Amino acid sequence: MTVIAPPQGLTIAEASERTGLTTHTLRYYERDGLMLRGVGRTSSGHRVYTERDLTWVRMLTRLRATGMPIREVKAYAALCRSGDGNETERLALLQNHRARVLAQLAEVTEHLGAIDNKIGIYQSALERADA
Amino acid sequence: MTVIAPPQGLTIAEASERTGLTTHTLRYYERDGLMLRGVGRTSSGHRVYTERDLTWVRMLTRLRATGMPIREVKAYAALCRSGDGNETERLALLQNHRARVLAQLAEVTEHLGAIDNKIGIYQSALERADA
DNA sequence: CTGGCGCTTCGAGCGCACTCGAAGTCAAGC
DNA sequence: GCTTGACTTCGAGTGCGCTCGAAGCGCCAG
């Protein structure tokens, strides 16, 4: 009935539970080359997620949640995968992303200010109507 | 050659220039019911944008830029269109949106902090390598 | 009066990021 | 040994927000 969690590893269902991603999405990410290395398998072919895998998935989730496109996450994964010696490139990629996120935050904050004004206008109009 | 800007109005090309949206997008927004009221036409059927139209488009752009889905912008437009008396609903819609944007900003900021840590790690690793 | 541009409508197509369904396999419980 | 159910792969489908192309019309310059 229950699929055995293989020694030292988690099933895809457990990985899903811990990362908040669906099993479909976890498989999709692996398929698409976003994982650091292919996820391990049991003898019967079932995926085995290690803590390292989950740590990477969480990093990946942060990059995605801040708006990094899949293709760029893939590029970052490729850099990490190819081992030592390209830390400068990885740093550049992350700094680049950071700059874009900051710009985006500033833009959204500015637009939000204007929306807040609008909210204020409706509020005082309604207060005046009450009085 | 140049299309006459009709008296008291702007051509779609001028509206495009002033809003930063493409003419395709401006037409799409109108088609999709995002405009407050249908944009006016010349006798030959060309669109005529007024300052009021542009003001609305700018509001619309702010809503979109802060992540409001098209269908919700449409709902907001519908409320505004149906005249006075539903200010409470409009306010609720905007406040709802505001809350989501704030949550989103907080989330992105948190993820960005973690990414910053990663950047810091790469930086100190590279500094140590230099030394 | 003709060439060409910028507009018109309509509908199809695209990129992104999933999301889902079908068909099959495998280990465990009864 | 048969059922069950979580897993496997593969490929197709979805939703969003544009984005683009085709075909046609009207106005003005030459």
Side-chain angles (χ1 to χ4, degrees), chain A residues 91-113:
Chain A
L91 180 58
L93 190 151
L94 290 184
Q95 280 177 330
N96 215 291
H97 179 58
R98 180 186 139 86
R100 284 192 316 244
V101 174
L102 285 176
Q104 166 80 4
L105 283 175
E107 197 197 320
V108 169
T109 301
E110 197 224 306
H111 287 310
L112 188 59

